[in-house]
Amino acid sequence: MATAAVTVLAGGALAACGGGSGGDDSTFTILQYETTSTAQYKGWQVALEMFREAHPDVDVEFATTSFDSIRSNAKILLTGDDVPDVMLVNTGNADGGQLAAQGLLDPLTDVVEENGWDEDITGSVAALAKYDENGHAGSGDWYGVPNVASFFTFFYNADMLAEHGYDAPPATMAELEEMFDAFLADGITPVSSNAGEHAVLQTWWQLISAQADRQEVDDFIFLQGEPDVTSGAFEAGTTQLQDWIEKGYLGSQLAGIKADEMERAFIAGEFPFMAQGTWSFSRVAEEADFAWGTFAFPESSLNAGASGHLWSVPANSANKELAYDWIATTLSPEVQNAIASEGGIPVAGDTAAIEDPKMRELNEQFDQIKAADALSFYPDYPVPGLLDFQMSELQAMTNGSTDAASFLAGLQDFYDSGKDS
């Protein structure tokens, strides 16, 4: 029988890979960076067992490194003969796009089409798996295949809503803000949020997405045309965020709050709402002792969110056929449904097979977003360094040291200089 070794890599070096002329081709190396608590990691353990059964003569090394290590060392890991056979790669122009443009990843378009993966993974869910010759996402060849997706949503405390006379979450933005005002009038901050990490950033992008059309978003994310971020949906959404901040909907001292603190406060019953990504679903499900649920931002034409990181095949992989089979295994119904059962959002799962009603409801929300091609991605994807700029400026907005117009003017300059570099 084959053995499956789970190796934790602290740095950028990958020891004893199966790839290249210097390695042993009977060893198949999978390199990934998801933590053991995530739904996809747990689903991949199912995939690993299935893969071992299908390939009993192959030694499988399931190696784990960190997200930051991949960001810093991916080019080194993929250069030379001693490389992973299949590897989890970060989405976006600055990561997967650059590796594709540098010839370090194999194009997978033929494999994707032969397996029919493009029939399940389409539109905005597929967009960040494709890169052109310049490494820009949205078109060109497939250079990886996602297993999961995420989107931004509202979590709500149904008990707190009921105490204030609400038997359901709001259906319109006007109703949502009326609820916010009612809680504020009782001395309760409506939304658990943070600007020390990404919640305010994603709230900002969601408020823009609510009023944007597909073309506005694609022009900005995929560096198409000459987007004007000082007008249109960008101006409307940013002005609305400033209004929410000034009214106190998101609380105060946000720059000093991290995601963990934000989640703990919501789970403790201190806030009726939390604006956060679906990645917090499992924690809320495990720890909250009150009635709760999720609902999409009301009246939104698009929804912040994206497909997850990509299973990619290094150009120098010595076991490419096995790599394709690994990807196929992770997209199998057994694995996709296992990911859903652990609180994830599989890209090709069977929502009807999900037993937990809250988890099924969350995946039904994703099915609706997917069917409408309504994912608007995340706002830091277009150019390197954009995340740091956006985070810093939005923190400044939360403490009143800048305003919507100044932020957008600076964003335009940063975006244009990054796009042209």
Side-chain angles (χ1 to χ4, degrees):
M1 288 291 292
T3 59
V6 180
T7 304
V8 177
L9 304 178
L14 182 67
C17 282
S21 59
D24 177 2
D25 290 356
S26 67
T27 299
F28 178 73
T29 305
I30 304 162
L31 180 62
Q32 68 90 42
Y33 50 78
E34 295 291 352
T35 60
T36 58
S37 63
T38 63
Q40 50 267 45
Y41 184 96
K42 293 174 182 177
W44 294 338
Q45 300 314 296
V46 176
L48 191 57
E49 183 177 350
M50 293 170 60
F51 190 84
R52 291 171 61 196
E53 290 176 356
H55 302 284
D57 298 326
V58 176
D59 289 327
V60 181
E61 181 180 2
F62 189 86
T64 296
T65 186
S66 69
F67 176 85
D68 288 338
S69 179
I70 291 292
R71 293 199 73 176
S72 302
N73 301 301
K75 185 175 180 180
I76 297 171
L77 283 169
L78 295 174
T79 301
D81 293 330
D82 195 24
V83 303
D85 291 303
V86 64
M87 174 173 146
L88 198 63
V89 169
N90 307 340
T91 55
N93 297 347
D95 294 295
Q98 286 301 301
L99 298 175
Q102 291 163 0
L104 296 173
L105 301 177
D106 254 14
L108 299 178
T109 303
D110 290 345
V111 179
V112 169
E113 292 176 350
E114 287 170 8
N115 285 276
W117 298 333
D118 55 338
E119 297 174 11
D120 288 320
I121 306 170
T122 60
S124 51
V125 182
L128 294 172
K130 301 175 184 178
Y131 296 90
D132 64 17
E133 64 275 8
N134 297 313
H136 294 164
S139 63
D141 278 318
W142 292 67
Y143 280 93
V145 181
N147 275 186
V148 298
S150 64
F151 61 93
F152 201 61
T153 191
F154 267 116
F155 292 78
Y156 70 96
N157 183 324
D159 290 346
M160 289 186 75
L161 264 62
E163 290 170 1
H164 285 73
Y166 303 114
D167 58 5
T172 67
M173 186 60 73
E175 290 178 3
L176 178 64
E177 293 187 342
E178 286 173 8
M179 288 187 182
F180 287 174
D181 291 334
F183 279 104
L184 276 178
D186 284 346
I188 300 171
T189 300
V191 183
S192 187
S193 189
N194 78 79
E197 292 188 76
H198 302 144
V200 166
L201 169 73
Q202 288 153 349
T203 301
W204 165 70
W205 184 243
Q206 178 56 54
L207 292 174
I208 291 171
S209 300
Q211 304 180 64
D213 60 31
R214 179 87 265 160
Q215 194 64 53
E216 282 181 284
V217 165
D218 286 357
D219 283 352
F220 176 75
I221 295 292
F222 300 131
L223 307 176
Q224 300 172 174
E226 300 293 334
D228 178 6
V229 303
T230 65
S231 64
F234 283 86
E235 181 182 25
T238 308
T239 301
Q240 186 174 11
L241 176 67
Q242 183 175 340
D243 182 58
W244 280 21
I245 292 169
E246 291 174 349
K247 288 181 176 177
Y249 290 167
L250 308 180
S252 60
Q253 306 298 318
L254 289 165
I257 301 174
K258 300 291 187 180
D260 176 68
E261 184 179 355
M262 174 192 73
E263 290 174 344
R264 282 191 288 110
F266 175 74
I267 291 167
E270 298 174 12
F271 296 83
F273 301 100
M274 179 174 69
Q276 174 66 329
T278 53
W279 48 85
S280 290
F281 181 93
S282 293
R283 182 178 186 183
V284 175
E286 290 172 4
E287 299 181 23
D289 61 1
F290 50 79
W292 62 277
T294 61
F295 66 96
F297 273 63
E299 300 179 298
S300 293
S301 59
L302 298 173
N303 206 107
S307 55
H309 301 302
L310 309 173
W311 282 119
S312 297
V313 180
N316 291 342
S317 167
N319 293 300
K320 293 181 181 180
E321 292 298 326
L322 285 174
Y324 307 150
D325 192 50
W326 168 254
I327 297 171
T329 305
T330 66
L331 290 173
S332 66
E334 296 91 337
V335 174
Q336 289 283 289
N337 291 339
I339 289 172
S341 72
E342 295 290 347
I345 309 287
V347 295
D350 178 7
T351 300
I354 301 173
E355 296 181 0
D356 181 88
K358 286 189 175 68
M359 191 68 247
R360 186 168 59 250
E361 182 180 7
L362 192 71
N363 275 268
E364 287 171 349
Q365 291 179 38
F366 175 69
D367 289 345
Q368 293 171 1
I369 294 169
K370 180 180 175 182
D373 192 26
L375 284 177
S376 62
F377 314 107
Y378 293 117
D380 58 300
Y381 286 157
V383 297
L386 191 55
L387 175 61
D388 292 337
F389 172 84
Q390 291 168 338
M391 289 284 291
S392 175
E393 291 299 301
L394 287 169
Q395 287 172 356
M397 189 181 296
T398 65
N399 64 32
S401 59
T402 193
D403 59 17
S406 298
F407 167 49
L408 291 177
L411 176 63
Q412 186 77 64
D413 291 342
F414 193 99
Y415 178 85
D416 288 343
S417 63
K419 178 180 177 182
D420 295 336
S421 62

PDB file of all heavy atoms in Angstrom, residues 108-121:
ATOM      1  N   LEU A 108      -3.865  24.943 -18.680  1.00  0.00           N
ATOM      2  CA  LEU A 108      -4.706  23.769 -18.446  1.00  0.00           C
ATOM      3  C   LEU A 108      -5.989  23.790 -19.262  1.00  0.00           C
ATOM      4  O   LEU A 108      -6.878  22.969 -19.021  1.00  0.00           O
ATOM      5  CB  LEU A 108      -5.066  23.670 -16.955  1.00  0.00           C
ATOM      6  CG  LEU A 108      -3.911  23.516 -15.970  1.00  0.00           C
ATOM      7  CD1 LEU A 108      -4.440  23.496 -14.545  1.00  0.00           C
ATOM      8  CD2 LEU A 108      -3.112  22.242 -16.262  1.00  0.00           C
ATOM      9  N   THR A 109      -6.081  24.671 -20.238  1.00  0.00           N
ATOM     10  CA  THR A 109      -7.339  24.820 -20.976  1.00  0.00           C
ATOM     11  C   THR A 109      -7.803  23.510 -21.587  1.00  0.00           C
ATOM     12  O   THR A 109      -8.980  23.139 -21.466  1.00  0.00           O
ATOM     13  CB  THR A 109      -7.191  25.899 -22.061  1.00  0.00           C
ATOM     14  OG1 THR A 109      -6.794  27.134 -21.436  1.00  0.00           O
ATOM     15  CG2 THR A 109      -8.503  26.104 -22.798  1.00  0.00           C
ATOM     16  N   ASP A 110      -6.911  22.786 -22.238  1.00  0.00           N
ATOM     17  CA  ASP A 110      -7.302  21.518 -22.872  1.00  0.00           C
ATOM     18  C   ASP A 110      -7.798  20.516 -21.836  1.00  0.00           C
ATOM     19  O   ASP A 110      -8.788  19.811 -22.068  1.00  0.00           O
ATOM     20  CB  ASP A 110      -6.123  20.933 -23.650  1.00  0.00           C
ATOM     21  CG  ASP A 110      -5.776  21.742 -24.886  1.00  0.00           C
ATOM     22  OD1 ASP A 110      -6.614  22.572 -25.300  1.00  0.00           O
ATOM     23  OD2 ASP A 110      -4.678  21.540 -25.439  1.00  0.00           O
ATOM     24  N   VAL A 111      -7.103  20.432 -20.703  1.00  0.00           N
ATOM     25  CA  VAL A 111      -7.494  19.495 -19.646  1.00  0.00           C
ATOM     26  C   VAL A 111      -8.855  19.886 -19.072  1.00  0.00           C
ATOM     27  O   VAL A 111      -9.714  19.032 -18.823  1.00  0.00           O
ATOM     28  CB  VAL A 111      -6.428  19.468 -18.536  1.00  0.00           C
ATOM     29  CG1 VAL A 111      -6.844  18.523 -17.413  1.00  0.00           C
ATOM     30  CG2 VAL A 111      -5.072  19.058 -19.102  1.00  0.00           C
ATOM     31  N   VAL A 112      -9.052  21.175 -18.862  1.00  0.00           N
ATOM     32  CA  VAL A 112     -10.323  21.664 -18.321  1.00  0.00           C
ATOM     33  C   VAL A 112     -11.474  21.312 -19.249  1.00  0.00           C
ATOM     34  O   VAL A 112     -12.527  20.816 -18.818  1.00  0.00           O
ATOM     35  CB  VAL A 112     -10.253  23.194 -18.092  1.00  0.00           C
ATOM     36  CG1 VAL A 112     -11.638  23.761 -17.792  1.00  0.00           C
ATOM     37  CG2 VAL A 112      -9.285  23.522 -16.952  1.00  0.00           C
ATOM     38  N   GLU A 113     -11.269  21.543 -20.533  1.00  0.00           N
ATOM     39  CA  GLU A 113     -12.342  21.282 -21.491  1.00  0.00           C
ATOM     40  C   GLU A 113     -12.586  19.789 -21.665  1.00  0.00           C
ATOM     41  O   GLU A 113     -13.732  19.344 -21.774  1.00  0.00           O
ATOM     42  CB  GLU A 113     -11.994  21.938 -22.833  1.00  0.00           C
ATOM     43  CG  GLU A 113     -12.008  23.466 -22.752  1.00  0.00           C
ATOM     44  CD  GLU A 113     -11.573  24.127 -24.048  1.00  0.00           C
ATOM     45  OE1 GLU A 113     -11.083  23.401 -24.960  1.00  0.00           O
ATOM     46  OE2 GLU A 113     -11.689  25.362 -24.154  1.00  0.00           O
ATOM     47  N   GLU A 114     -11.518  18.994 -21.664  1.00  0.00           N
ATOM     48  CA  GLU A 114     -11.676  17.538 -21.801  1.00  0.00           C
ATOM     49  C   GLU A 114     -12.464  16.945 -20.635  1.00  0.00           C
ATOM     50  O   GLU A 114     -13.249  16.004 -20.807  1.00  0.00           O
ATOM     51  CB  GLU A 114     -10.295  16.871 -21.876  1.00  0.00           C
ATOM     52  CG  GLU A 114      -9.575  17.098 -23.204  1.00  0.00           C
ATOM     53  CD  GLU A 114      -8.125  16.644 -23.141  1.00  0.00           C
ATOM     54  OE1 GLU A 114      -7.735  16.024 -22.122  1.00  0.00           O
ATOM     55  OE2 GLU A 114      -7.374  16.923 -24.103  1.00  0.00           O
ATOM     56  N   ASN A 115     -12.269  17.505 -19.441  1.00  0.00           N
ATOM     57  CA  ASN A 115     -12.957  16.997 -18.257  1.00  0.00           C
ATOM     58  C   ASN A 115     -14.304  17.664 -18.007  1.00  0.00           C
ATOM     59  O   ASN A 115     -15.028  17.257 -17.097  1.00  0.00           O
ATOM     60  CB  ASN A 115     -12.067  17.179 -17.027  1.00  0.00           C
ATOM     61  CG  ASN A 115     -10.931  16.179 -16.959  1.00  0.00           C
ATOM     62  OD1 ASN A 115     -11.106  15.062 -16.478  1.00  0.00           O
ATOM     63  ND2 ASN A 115      -9.758  16.567 -17.452  1.00  0.00           N
ATOM     64  N   GLY A 116     -14.618  18.686 -18.792  1.00  0.00           N
ATOM     65  CA  GLY A 116     -15.889  19.374 -18.627  1.00  0.00           C
ATOM     66  C   GLY A 116     -15.967  20.257 -17.403  1.00  0.00           C
ATOM     67  O   GLY A 116     -17.066  20.641 -16.973  1.00  0.00           O
ATOM     68  N   TRP A 117     -14.816  20.610 -16.830  1.00  0.00           N
ATOM     69  CA  TRP A 117     -14.841  21.456 -15.631  1.00  0.00           C
ATOM     70  C   TRP A 117     -15.378  22.847 -15.950  1.00  0.00           C
ATOM     71  O   TRP A 117     -15.937  23.510 -15.071  1.00  0.00           O
ATOM     72  CB  TRP A 117     -13.436  21.557 -15.032  1.00  0.00           C
ATOM     73  CG  TRP A 117     -12.889  20.227 -14.590  1.00  0.00           C
ATOM     74  CD1 TRP A 117     -13.612  19.135 -14.185  1.00  0.00           C
ATOM     75  CD2 TRP A 117     -11.508  19.840 -14.518  1.00  0.00           C
ATOM     76  NE1 TRP A 117     -12.772  18.098 -13.867  1.00  0.00           N
ATOM     77  CE2 TRP A 117     -11.473  18.499 -14.055  1.00  0.00           C
ATOM     78  CE3 TRP A 117     -10.301  20.487 -14.784  1.00  0.00           C
ATOM     79  CZ2 TRP A 117     -10.277  17.807 -13.858  1.00  0.00           C
ATOM     80  CZ3 TRP A 117      -9.110  19.811 -14.592  1.00  0.00           C
ATOM     81  CH2 TRP A 117      -9.096  18.482 -14.131  1.00  0.00           C
ATOM     82  N   ASP A 118     -15.202  23.280 -17.195  1.00  0.00           N
ATOM     83  CA  ASP A 118     -15.700  24.599 -17.585  1.00  0.00           C
ATOM     84  C   ASP A 118     -17.222  24.637 -17.694  1.00  0.00           C
ATOM     85  O   ASP A 118     -17.797  25.721 -17.877  1.00  0.00           O
ATOM     86  CB  ASP A 118     -15.062  25.039 -18.899  1.00  0.00           C
ATOM     87  CG  ASP A 118     -15.249  24.042 -20.023  1.00  0.00           C
ATOM     88  OD1 ASP A 118     -15.483  22.847 -19.747  1.00  0.00           O
ATOM     89  OD2 ASP A 118     -15.169  24.456 -21.194  1.00  0.00           O
ATOM     90  N   GLU A 119     -17.872  23.492 -17.583  1.00  0.00           N
ATOM     91  CA  GLU A 119     -19.332  23.475 -17.581  1.00  0.00           C
ATOM     92  C   GLU A 119     -19.896  23.805 -16.208  1.00  0.00           C
ATOM     93  O   GLU A 119     -21.004  24.328 -16.083  1.00  0.00           O
ATOM     94  CB  GLU A 119     -19.839  22.107 -18.048  1.00  0.00           C
ATOM     95  CG  GLU A 119     -19.457  21.774 -19.488  1.00  0.00           C
ATOM     96  CD  GLU A 119     -19.846  20.357 -19.875  1.00  0.00           C
ATOM     97  OE1 GLU A 119     -20.601  19.717 -19.105  1.00  0.00           O
ATOM     98  OE2 GLU A 119     -19.405  19.888 -20.947  1.00  0.00           O
ATOM     99  N   ASP A 120     -19.139  23.482 -15.157  1.00  0.00           N
ATOM    100  CA  ASP A 120     -19.558  23.792 -13.786  1.00  0.00           C
ATOM    101  C   ASP A 120     -18.967  25.107 -13.286  1.00  0.00           C
ATOM    102  O   ASP A 120     -19.584  25.805 -12.485  1.00  0.00           O
ATOM    103  CB  ASP A 120     -19.134  22.666 -12.834  1.00  0.00           C
ATOM    104  CG  ASP A 120     -19.948  21.398 -13.018  1.00  0.00           C
ATOM    105  OD1 ASP A 120     -21.168  21.509 -13.220  1.00  0.00           O
ATOM    106  OD2 ASP A 120     -19.357  20.309 -12.972  1.00  0.00           O
ATOM    107  N   ILE A 121     -17.770  25.429 -13.737  1.00  0.00           N
ATOM    108  CA  ILE A 121     -17.062  26.620 -13.270  1.00  0.00           C
ATOM    109  C   ILE A 121     -17.097  27.633 -14.410  1.00  0.00           C
ATOM    110  O   ILE A 121     -16.356  27.502 -15.396  1.00  0.00           O
ATOM    111  CB  ILE A 121     -15.618  26.271 -12.868  1.00  0.00           C
ATOM    112  CG1 ILE A 121     -15.610  25.133 -11.846  1.00  0.00           C
ATOM    113  CG2 ILE A 121     -14.906  27.493 -12.307  1.00  0.00           C
ATOM    114  CD1 ILE A 121     -14.239  24.563 -11.564  1.00  0.00           C
TER     115      ILE A 121
END
